[in-house]
Amino acid sequence: MRITGFRALTTVQDWGRPVGDANGVHAGGLVRMPLVVVETDEGVTGVGLGSHVQAETVFAAIEGEDPRGVTALYDRMLRRTFKAGHAGAVFGTIGAFDTALWDIKAKLAGEPLWRLLGGRDRRVPAYASGLDIALDDDELAELYRTYAGHGLRAAKLKGGLDVDRDRRRLTLVRDVLVEAGGSTRPGLMLDVNENWTRKQAVRHVGELERTLDLTWIEEPVRRWDVEGHATVGRGVRASVATGENLTGLEQHRPLITAGAVDVVQTAAGWGVTHFLRVAALAHAHDLPVSPIGTTPVGLVHAATAVPNHLVTELQDLRPPVGIALGHEIGDGAFVLGDAPGLGIHLDEAAIAAAGHRLPDPASDGSHIRPDRAGYHLLPALGV
C-alpha cells in the first residue's frame, strides 16, 4: 500500500453565537475548519483536522510511503520542515496529516483507533468549554445548562479582562452545575489566553480564590515564559495549565522540567503522535495531560491509551458542517464508537457548499493579540 495524494478541504464551524477569548471574538460565530484527506492506492482514505499551510511541502515527505508507518512518517515530516522551522501553522499541517495516517492505519486493522492504540475504556471524561467571553450572563447560564444536560460537571470559562466579571460568571456557572446535580463542588477553570503579566496573574487569581475554588488557571502568561508560569504556580492555589500552543517536545520540556506546569495540555491540531509523545514526557514527571480543541477527535481516541489522561475539552456539541463523528456525548464524557479508524464521515458536497459562508481571514478578529494599549491593565491588578 502506498500514499498517492491528498485533498485539502475547508468547512466551517457554525456556533450560532459569538465565540472568542480575551484576544478577540468571532462576532458572527463562523470559524474556518481546515482538514486533509489522505489517499492511497488501495482506495482507503484518512481524515485529519488541521492546517493547510505548506501542505505540498509536508506531503512530499510521505508521498509514496506505506501509511502504516505512522510514527516514522511523522518524523519524516518534521525533518522535511526542519530548516525553516516546523512551529506554528506548519506544525498543524503535520498534525493533520499525522491524524489522517492514524485513521488509515486503524481502518486497515479493522479497529477503532482507540482500540488499536491499546485503549480499554471507550469513555473519555470531558469538561465544558464554551469560548464564551462575549456572552451576557443569561446567555452564559443557558449555554452551560445545555452542557450540564449532557452530564458535564466541570467547566472552563474565558476571561481575564475584569476580575469582578470573572468572579460573577464563574459563580453563575458553578451554581448552574450544582443545580444540575451530581456534585456540590463542580470543577471550575479560567482560561485567559496568555493575556496577563506575572503580577496580574497572581493578583487576579488570588482575588478569585477568596470565594472560589479554581481547578486550574490556563495560559496565565505567555506560552514560553517558564519562570513566569513557575511564579504564578507559587503564588496561587489553583493548578497552572498550559501547552496547547507549544509545538514540539522541545517547547514542552523547559516548562515540565522546571516544574512550571501542573496540567500539561496539547492541541488536537498538532496530531496524535505529538500527543502521545507529550503524554509520555509528562508521565515521566508524574504530570497529567489534558487535550484541547474544538473537535479533538484524534486526541480523544489517543487519550484512552495513556495512563495520565485527566480530562478532555469539549467545545462543540454540533460538529463542523459536513462532518459526522462516530462518538456520542453522555454522562459527562465522550463515548467512542466501534467504527474502524476515527469514525469520521465526510459529506464533501456539504463542505463545498459551506465555502460561500467562509469568513475572510483578514477581517477575522479572533486570537489577534491587541497592542500594548489594549492589554486592559486594570489599576487593581498592577502591571
Side-chain angles (χ1 to χ4, degrees):
M1 169 175 275
R2 292 289 180 263
I3 297 167
T4 56
F6 76 96
R7 303 194 302 280
L9 309 175
T10 303
T11 186
V12 297
Q13 179 78 43
D14 186 354
W15 294 92
R17 58 179 174 83
V19 291
D21 58 37
N23 294 302
V25 172
H26 296 276
L30 287 177
V31 181
R32 289 172 170 264
M33 295 292 293
L35 62 133
V36 297
V37 180
V38 174
E39 303 163 338
T40 68
D41 58 1
E42 295 186 14
V44 180
T45 61
V47 178
L49 304 180
S51 166
H52 296 160
V53 174
Q54 292 189 33
E56 294 286 353
T57 298
V58 172
F59 178 72
I62 63 173
E63 186 174 14
E65 296 288 329
D66 188 321
R68 291 168 290 191
V70 183
T71 53
L73 294 181
Y74 178 81
D75 289 324
R76 282 179 63 86
M77 290 187 284
L78 290 181
R79 288 194 297 272
R80 181 58 62 102
T81 57
F82 171 77
K83 195 69 174 179
H86 63 245
V90 175
F91 200 65
T93 303
I94 294 171
F97 280 116
D98 174 71
T99 300
L101 295 180
W102 278 111
D103 190 21
I104 292 172
K105 186 179 178 75
K107 286 176 178 176
L108 291 172
E111 293 185 327
L113 181 58
W114 66 270
R115 183 72 76 186
L116 179 73
L117 290 173
R120 174 179 174 272
D121 189 350
R122 71 179 69 232
R123 183 181 177 277
V124 179
Y127 68 86
S129 178
L131 310 180
D132 46 50
I133 201 165
L135 303 183
D136 64 31
D137 288 359
D138 290 340
E139 293 168 332
L140 186 73
E142 185 58 31
L143 173 63
Y144 283 91
R145 287 191 190 99
T146 302
Y147 284 121
H150 292 272
L152 279 83
R153 297 295 181 266
K156 182 175 79 182
L157 274 65
K158 297 291 190 180
L161 300 181
D162 184 290
V163 68
D164 293 325
R165 184 173 190 258
D166 286 345
R167 182 191 298 107
R168 184 181 73 250
R169 288 158 59 84
L170 285 162
T171 301
L172 185 157
V173 170
R174 179 197 64 189
D175 293 346
V176 165
L177 297 179
V178 169
E179 290 168 5
S183 174
T184 58
R185 296 184 64 185
L188 291 176
M189 295 82 87
L190 182 67
D191 185 0
V192 301
N193 295 97
E194 308 179 61
N195 203 49
W196 289 335
T197 65
R198 303 173 189 185
K199 178 81 74 173
Q200 285 180 293
V202 172
R203 296 185 68 177
H204 196 120
V205 176
E207 178 67 23
L208 293 176
E209 289 183 328
R210 292 183 183 184
T211 56
L212 291 164
D213 181 18
L214 290 180
T215 303
W216 75 57
I217 179 68
E218 185 167 324
E219 289 193 325
V221 294
R222 290 298 189 98
R223 66 197 71 169
W224 53 78
D225 187 357
V226 175
E227 179 56 32
H229 282 90
T231 298
V232 175
R234 290 190 295 265
V236 303
R237 297 197 310 269
S239 294
V240 172
T242 194
E244 67 175 282
N245 288 306
L246 301 180
T247 51
L249 290 180
E250 69 278 6
Q251 294 187 11
H252 280 273
R253 188 185 304 114
L255 284 152
I256 291 174
T257 57
V261 57
D262 302 302
V263 179
V264 179
Q265 297 174 312
T266 182
W270 307 146
V272 172
T273 300
H274 175 68
F275 169 76
L276 293 172
R277 292 179 177 182
V278 170
L281 177 62
H283 186 49
H285 290 80
D286 296 316
L287 294 174
V289 289
S290 181
I292 295 290
T294 302
T295 309
V297 57
L299 270 54
V300 176
H301 280 260
T304 68
V306 300
N308 53 333
H309 172 258
L310 179 65
V311 66
T312 294
E313 182 175 39
L314 171 61
Q315 294 181 8
D316 59 325
L317 291 170
R318 294 183 301 173
V321 173
I323 298 178
L325 303 174
H327 63 253
E328 299 176 350
I329 308 298
D331 194 25
F334 295 89
V335 183
L336 296 168
D338 289 317
L342 293 172
I344 294 178
H345 296 280
L346 301 182
D347 181 343
E348 295 196 33
I351 291 173
H356 73 281
R357 304 174 63 196
L358 290 173
D360 179 2
S363 64
D364 186 349
S366 183
H367 299 105
I368 298 175
R369 180 162 291 278
D371 293 334
R372 185 71 186 180
Y375 263 46
H376 303 275
L377 298 182
L378 304 179
L381 298 181
V383 296

